[in-house]
Amino acid sequence: MPGISLAPSGARGMAHTAVRRAWHGLIRVLAGPEPRPVWRWPSSQDRQVAYAALWVVTLLLCAANLNGAFAHLGQLLLAVPVVAPLPLAAKRPMLAWRIGWLALLLVPLVPAAWWGGWPWGPGQILAMFGVFFLAGIRQRRAELCWMWALSLIPWLLWLVADIPNLHGPAGSAVVFTAAVIAVDSIGSRLRAQRSLATQTERAEAERAQRAVLEERTRIARELHDVVAHHMSLIAVRAETAPYRLTGLPESARAEFTSLSEVAREALAEMRRLLGVLRYDQPAALAPQPQLADLPALVDAARKAGAPVEFSAPAALGQVPAGVGVCAYRIVQESLSNASQHAPGAPITVSVDHDRGAVVLRVANGPGGHPVPPGNQPGTGHGLTGMHERVALLGGSLTAGPAPDGGFVVSAVLPFGETP
């Protein structure tokens, strides 16, 4: 029957998988990398205290081994390598365990009377058990079983070398097996706690990111429902004013047309901003303004009543795109600040190329009309945004009062790689 023929094949496959996993586990124990720690030190000071304690314990155990060293030189030569790797166990416990295990393999070959009939002295037992605990607590159950089996080899060799005395080695083997079971339980619990802590941190990070996205969506909704509505009203009223108000001069009609164009541009910019803020919608793919758009920006400021002088080289647009956007936004923000905080004051905008960089200078002189209420300096985030943009390009920006009483914004924007 088909079921009968498949059973042996399935059993062989499971046996092959078990053998392969066991072989890989042995390789990881003997020559594998250090496993990840299962606990975290509360602070660097606690870690240093633990390292210092291991060094003190190591020195005490080495001093204990020196007692009677001239009578049992072979014991000393094999005991010290078992105890010496103890400080190494704090950072590389598997390497420390391998060194001690190799030394303990040779212990039954040394003709010496050890303490209580056990295979090793008390110092070696304490040191090896401490190293085994630090290394085994990081390992999975399969690797820990291999460490348990390999550690019992010296006991077995001692039993063969001294068959009449079985009580010490047999008792120590039982105690060691019980300790290994405890180590496996503690390691499993610590790994579960670390996994839970990692998942909790990941959940907290995702929750914080979700809160940021929800806040961005709320801001986008408020901008759309409040600011965009008022901007639309301004654009509509500016467009319909020449038809609703009779007898307007041509200059007034041109002023209303300029206001309508500015309002429409502001609405377009807001739509792009809303596309960025709403994480569930792609940002608009409209081209970003560049240095070549500065003359149009200056003309718009002049139409709004700002006396602006503008100077720039002929090849104004031959700069990297990122530098062009940054320069445009700095001039735009500077013109806006000058119009708000010093209305009517003369403004000078200069753009130049200097050693692979764009040099900007926007200065407004003293004078002008009184500042309207609510436009006091320091109430916005324009200068902070300028500094952030310039810092991303590795440039420099200065902004502050001029000696004559005006305000000057200067920026150097390096090209970086050639566009």
Side-chain angles (χ1 to χ4, degrees), residues 6 202 235 257 371:
L6 290 177
R202 187 180 298 111
T257 301
V371 179

Side-chain angles (χ1 to χ4, degrees), residues 38-125:
V38 293
W39 71 86
R40 296 179 180 176
W41 295 104
S43 63
S44 59
Q45 294 180 352
D46 294 337
R47 183 175 64 250
Q48 293 174 359
V49 170
Y51 291 167
L54 287 176
W55 275 105
V56 172
V57 172
T58 302
L59 292 176
L60 292 177
L61 293 177
C62 289
N65 289 327
L66 290 176
N67 185 20
F70 296 101
H72 306 289
L73 182 60
Q75 280 184 297
L76 179 64
L77 295 176
L78 292 177
V80 172
V82 177
V83 177
L86 187 58
L88 184 63
K91 292 185 177 180
R92 305 194 64 182
M94 284 303 299
L95 178 60
W97 177 82
R98 290 163 187 158
I99 295 174
W101 178 72
L102 292 175
L104 290 175
L105 285 178
L106 303 177
V107 169
L109 304 180
V110 178
W114 293 87
W115 169 75
W118 285 35
W120 308 308
Q124 290 71 50
I125 294 175

